[in-house]
Amino acid sequence: MSAEHQKLKAFAVELFQIKAVKFGEFKTKVGLMTPVYFDLRVIVSYPEIMKTLSHLLVDILKDIKNIDILCGVPYTALPIATAVSLETGLPMVMRRKEAKDYGTKKLIEGVFKEGDKCLIVEDVVTSGSSILETVRDLLNEGIKCKDAVVLLNREQGGAKILEKNGIRMHAVLSLTEIIQYLVEAKCIDSEMQQKVQKYLAETQVTDAVLNKAPPANRLKLSFIERSKLAKNPVAAKLFEIMSAKQTTLCLAADLTDATKILNLAEQVGPYICALKTHIDIIEDFHSNFIEPLKDIAKRHNFVLFEDRKFADIGKTVEFQYSKGIYQISSWASLVTVHSLTGKGVLDAIKGATGNPERGVFLLAETSAAGSLITDSYTKSTLKLASEYPDLISGIVCQNPLFLDNPGLIQLTPGVKIESKVDNLGQQYNTPDLVVAEKGADVAVVGRGITEACDPVAAAQLYREMLWKAYSKRIAV
Ligand code: 6AU
């Protein structure tokens, strides 16, 4: 037996002696019976064993390159991560399970910057769901996670689920190995070993178990996969268009002249997945404008999207949506809505007359500097969206706020190649940044195209840059 195996065997025996691994009949979190149970919480009472554990973890993390910070999965792995941090000198951040309701409301404590690469530290992996929860909160802060070092892989499908979500698991020990060491050390007999093997064979990940597993991170899925997960029909259609035309570009056609909008729509039609209007800024609006616009949208296969940002009481919104000179519900498949007044607006849009194929983008964040939107408003907006799955196509936001609902689309405005701001508080990010770092699925570009010397060339360029960034995002 090699020195390394000797070390692992001795460690397995120590875990057995301190009852961090137990044998018998135990009920798991999901109600299944298991003959073997791990409780690594006791390890804090044994600093020497903690030291060995951190050495073993440090050994396997040597092959992982480019780590800036590390984060333990709360709570058991917090002291373990601390030990690894002390030994490697890698700074640590800490994830809260619940945001404090006072002070900073931060979920991630410690010093970090956007784009930092974080190594996850965990004790035991069964389904991988605890790691994914931590990864989700880190990602929301712009922290990237690709690797997780863990003490024990229970070999029940966690590695597969993590891999599907873009996380590589590096385990010190597998359940099979630890059992083998304990048999060799005569801590358990071969009958128990067989029992554990039988248990493992019976509780392997099946499709049913996988489906119950946490949903895949949307940032890692293709649009065509996501089209099947969308509950709102317009979102499904938009995903299909994006995939077929290889474009995530939504043109904000913020022009005040009807003919100019139609001409631009005709010219850039092949490069966009949606055309967004502010119908009330058109000076020569006439109902004759709508039919040709619908015709162009049909020929070039893009969606019409009225950025009305409804925010009144339900009854007024019902009228604003379906009546008046614009009759938005008759032609726009998509509209934007503020969550400010709550459910009434969504009920109004759901029940209004007009084309039944409709979807809503709820505004959870804005690109405007000095906006009054708070974190709790953003959170409540996401909750409201979850209550109307068949109506909500997606969320208008600036950050990857939701990762575990791949059927929803993140729409991000404030996209421009050169500028950072305009003179009225609009804030811009580059196409690459909004897709790679900010989680945008569809990017809204207005003046970057409408004010370019050659709007068609600009639309082609934005489309290409955005698509490249998306392709890269799902590939890694
Ligand atoms: O590229 P721009 O700055 O010329 O245009 C951005 C477009 C405008 C805004 O009304 C809209 O995006 N917008 C939105 C949307 C889409 O709802 C939200 C937001 O936070 N910021 C923003 O600019 O048509």
Side-chain angles (χ1 to χ4, degrees):
M1 192 180 264
S2 71
E4 193 194 338
H5 281 176
Q6 294 282 17
K7 204 158 85 181
L8 288 172
K9 183 171 167 182
F11 183 65
V13 172
E14 280 176 335
L15 290 181
F16 179 78
Q17 284 166 345
I18 65 168
K19 297 195 171 55
V21 47
K22 294 181 214 166
F23 295 86
E25 289 289 318
F26 307 94
K27 211 178 208 167
T28 66
K29 240 201 272 181
V30 288
L32 292 170
M33 295 310 288
T34 166
V36 55
Y37 186 75
F38 292 86
D39 180 4
L40 267 293
R41 279 168 294 201
V42 292
I43 211 165
V44 291
S45 306
Y46 303 92
E48 281 307 316
I49 300 180
M50 178 70 96
K51 215 184 259 174
T52 313
L53 169 55
S54 81
H55 289 162
L56 290 169
L57 289 170
V58 171
D59 275 351
I60 54 169
L61 73 80
K62 277 187 184 130
D63 297 333
I64 308 169
K65 302 276 173 277
N66 303 322
I67 312 166
D68 301 306
I69 50 177
L70 50 86
C71 181
V73 176
Y75 291 100
T76 311
L78 291 186
I80 303 175
T82 311
V84 173
S85 168
L86 289 174
E87 189 158 336
T88 55
L90 277 167
M92 177 172 138
V93 292
M94 234 176 8
R95 171 185 168 241
R96 287 179 177 280
K97 276 202 164 183
E98 300 293 339
K100 302 181 285 185
D101 53 6
Y102 60 92
T104 58
K105 294 192 177 147
K106 278 163 86 181
L107 276 178
I108 306 296
E109 302 283 359
V111 180
F112 59 87
K113 57 181 187 319
E114 232 180 273
D116 270 352
K117 296 186 185 67
C118 181
L119 176 75
I120 305 291
V121 180
E122 173 65 310
D123 57 344
V124 180
V125 167
T126 307
S127 73
S129 59
S130 304
I131 288 185
L132 291 180
E133 280 170 19
T134 295
V135 167
R136 179 199 58 204
D137 286 348
L138 290 165
L139 261 176
N140 282 343
E141 295 291 338
I143 300 170
K144 293 181 175 170
C145 309
K146 286 223 178 86
D147 296 277
V149 287
V150 311
L151 167 65
L152 182 88
N153 173 11
R154 279 191 65 122
E155 300 173 292
Q156 284 171 276
K160 226 182 199 169
I161 292 169
L162 289 171
E163 197 186 307
K164 224 178 136 196
N165 284 276
I167 309 290
R168 256 188 314 264
M169 180 173 83
H170 311 260
V172 172
L173 283 164
S174 68
L175 183 52
T176 310
E177 285 165 348
I178 206 166
I179 296 298
Q180 181 61 33
Y181 288 138
L182 293 179
V183 171
E184 286 168 16
K186 302 204 174 4
C187 296
I188 56 170
D189 56 21
S190 56
E191 200 182 317
M192 179 54 79
Q193 183 176 30
Q194 278 161 18
K195 221 174 180 176
V196 174
Q197 273 162 352
K198 184 166 175 280
Y199 163 77
L200 272 184
E202 284 166 0
T203 53
Q204 279 306 297
V205 178
T206 61
D207 279 348
V209 177
L210 256 183
N211 289 340
K212 272 195 226 141
N217 177 350
R218 73 173 162 89
L219 301 179
K220 298 286 158 209
L221 291 180
S222 70
F223 293 138
I224 205 66
E225 286 171 289
R226 291 172 62 187
S227 70
K228 294 173 196 117
L229 302 169
K231 299 210 169 68
N232 169 258
V234 187
K237 182 174 165 185
L238 189 51
F239 276 131
E240 281 165 19
I241 293 175
M242 287 153 76
S243 187
K245 290 176 72 179
Q246 302 204 335
T247 179
T248 63
L249 174 62
C250 168
L251 170 70
D254 295 342
L255 302 172
T256 55
D257 181 303
T259 314
K260 282 190 181 154
I261 296 180
L262 293 177
N263 287 341
L264 183 61
E266 184 67 58
Q267 288 178 306
V268 305
Y271 315 116
I272 61 175
C273 61
L275 181 132
K276 193 176 76 59
T277 47
H278 282 296
I279 202 74
D280 53 357
I281 66 170
I282 303 177
E283 288 173 327
D284 56 344
F285 176 83
H286 190 277
S287 54
N288 288 347
F289 168 72
I290 296 300
E291 279 313 311
L293 185 64
K294 275 166 72 179
D295 175 61
I296 298 169
K298 198 168 169 196
R299 275 191 289 106
H300 289 301
N301 193 22
F302 61 78
V303 173
L304 291 179
F305 186 174
E306 166 56 20
D307 191 4
R308 178 60 181 77
K309 298 197 181 71
F310 294 106
D312 215 307
I313 57 161
K315 193 66 199 170
T316 307
V317 167
E318 188 186 317
F319 287 144
Q320 290 171 327
Y321 180 51
S322 55
K323 306 282 182 198
I325 54 170
Y326 302 121
Q327 302 198 353
I328 295 167
S329 67
S330 70
W331 56 271
S333 323
L334 291 170
V335 290
T336 44
V337 169
H338 279 296
S339 53
L340 190 67
T341 44
K343 291 183 169 195
V345 188
L346 297 178
D347 290 333
I349 290 181
K350 212 171 165 176
T353 56
N355 185 349
E357 198 179 86
R358 58 187 67 167
V360 163
F361 272 87
L362 262 187
L363 216 108
E365 286 178 331
T366 165
S367 58
S371 145
L372 303 185
I373 291 179
T374 61
D375 288 353
S376 93
Y377 180 89
T378 298
K379 227 179 193 169
S380 308
T381 303
L382 294 179
K383 185 166 172 287
L384 182 64
S386 71
E387 289 165 26
Y388 290 80
D390 48 353
L391 181 67
I392 303 295
S393 308
I395 305 292
V396 183
C397 56
Q398 296 292 314
N399 292 291
L401 301 177
F402 61 97
L403 297 174
D404 52 0
N405 192 343
L408 280 187
I409 298 173
Q410 177 177 330
L411 182 98
T412 301
V415 181
K416 212 168 185 188
I417 297 169
E418 303 99 10
S419 327
K420 288 253 172 277
V421 284
D422 70 4
N423 59 350
L424 291 172
Q426 172 71 305
Q427 304 175 113
Y428 291 112
N429 285 307
T430 61
D432 196 42
L433 192 90
V434 292
V435 176
E437 310 277 329
K438 304 285 186 180
D441 296 317
V442 173
V444 177
V445 182
R447 285 164 286 176
I449 293 172
T450 57
E451 292 180 359
C453 330
D454 184 345
V456 180
Q460 283 175 310
L461 179 63
Y462 275 99
R463 173 210 175 201
E464 197 182 307
M465 291 175 84
L466 290 164
W467 190 259
K468 218 170 167 180
Y470 153 75
S471 306
K472 203 168 152 195
R473 184 174 88 186
I474 59 165
V476 285

